[in-house]
Amino acid sequence: MKWLFLCLLGSLTICVVGLPSGATFQGSLFARLPSASASGFLRQPPLHIARPDVPHFLSKNRLLLPLGYADTHEFHVSRTRIAYAAADQEWQISLYIFIDDLEKALSHATSGEPRRLGTDKETAEADSLILRYLQRRLILQADGDKLPLQWLGKEGSEDLAAFWIYLYIPDEQPAATFTITNKILTEVFDDQQNIVQWSPKPTVSRNILFHSGHSQEVVTF
């Protein structure tokens, strides 16, 4: 498991595994959103990229699925970037998460019907359910106070297997010390690994690994 984390961490550090094309650490990840301006971060949600709803018999016969449409994956990993945008006085958060894992988490949390996430049959309340789930599982605290995680939008990854979810937290005067809690999907998968890149300043970047045995970390601005 240690070698796996080192490989993942190394990939994240060098090229940010799975980052949308065109995004760099030097600029805002939000600059590539269809609605974003050159300055980087608007309140309009990105276009929702839906995948076709796959018939049940195809989902059970993986060889018949289009390339990149596999409904399972070997490792349970999410990747999050938390960066402070001084010009906008807010924390900007991008989360890469596998759609099937998120579907399981929402079903686990709500005991409801499948939300058909990422398909053209996705339920209307999907975004609000995802936000409520993340507000419980991904928490940023300053001086003991929980900061309000707010929704910007989501879009599908190029292979349609994952979502990029975009969030923000208004924060005019960042505290000196923060506590990050990341319990995303750990209630669903025992082997869940959550990698967070903490970037409070353009010149500062730190990678942190969260899992069921380590879900909280104190960081500095």
Side-chain angles (χ1 to χ4, degrees):
M1 183 58 69
K2 183 177 181 180
W3 67 265
L4 169 61
F5 169 57
L6 291 176
C7 290
L8 289 170
L9 191 57
S11 300
L12 180 71
T13 303
I14 295 171
C15 64
V16 191
V17 178
L19 276 182
S21 58
T24 67
F25 289 164
Q26 307 306 318
S28 170
L29 293 183
F30 304 91
R32 78 172 296 274
L33 293 179
S35 60
S37 67
S39 62
F41 195 64
L42 296 181
R43 294 291 175 265
Q44 297 300 316
L47 296 176
H48 175 67
I49 302 175
R51 58 181 178 176
D53 199 31
V54 178
H56 179 73
F57 78 92
L58 282 181
S59 69
K60 298 304 180 182
N61 294 273
R62 294 164 59 82
L63 293 179
L64 299 179
L65 290 176
L67 183 64
Y69 210 105
D71 59 349
T72 61
H73 43 270
E74 187 173 358
F75 304 115
H76 297 115
V77 180
S78 77
R79 298 182 292 273
T80 302
R81 184 171 189 255
I82 303 175
Y84 186 71
D88 298 313
Q89 297 184 324
E90 63 191 9
W91 294 96
Q92 298 179 353
I93 301 168
S94 58
L95 166 65
Y96 182 89
I97 187 170
F98 288 108
I99 294 174
D100 59 334
D101 291 351
L102 184 57
E103 180 84 53
K104 290 177 183 177
L106 294 186
S107 296
H108 183 272
T110 62
S111 300
E113 294 296 321
R115 306 297 171 181
R116 297 183 179 273
L117 298 178
T119 76
D120 53 6
K121 294 182 180 179
E122 180 178 288
T123 56
E125 71 276 13
D127 287 358
S128 61
L129 290 175
I130 293 172
L131 177 59
R132 288 202 295 271
Y133 173 77
L134 293 177
Q135 287 172 335
R136 295 192 301 268
R137 310 301 293 186
L138 180 63
I139 299 170
L140 186 62
Q141 292 174 288
D143 297 328
D145 295 326
K146 182 178 177 180
L147 300 181
L149 197 65
Q150 298 188 32
W151 182 263
L152 174 66
K154 72 178 188 299
E155 60 180 347
S157 62
E158 291 183 1
D159 62 2
L160 304 178
F163 277 146
W164 276 103
I165 297 174
Y166 304 100
L167 311 158
Y168 68 98
I169 300 173
D171 192 1
E172 295 182 4
Q173 296 181 327
T177 303
F178 292 85
T179 300
I180 301 174
T181 301
N182 190 331
K183 296 181 179 181
I184 293 174
L185 300 175
T186 56
E187 80 284 11
V188 181
F189 305 109
D190 292 336
D191 62 343
Q192 178 69 31
Q193 307 280 303
N194 297 313
I195 301 172
V196 171
Q197 184 190 56
W198 170 255
S199 184
K201 301 174 184 177
T203 57
V204 177
S205 178
R206 176 188 174 191
N207 295 314
I208 309 167
L209 176 66
F210 296 87
H211 49 80
S212 59
H214 179 73
S215 61
Q216 197 169 83
E217 182 89 6
V218 176
V219 294
T220 58
F221 186 80

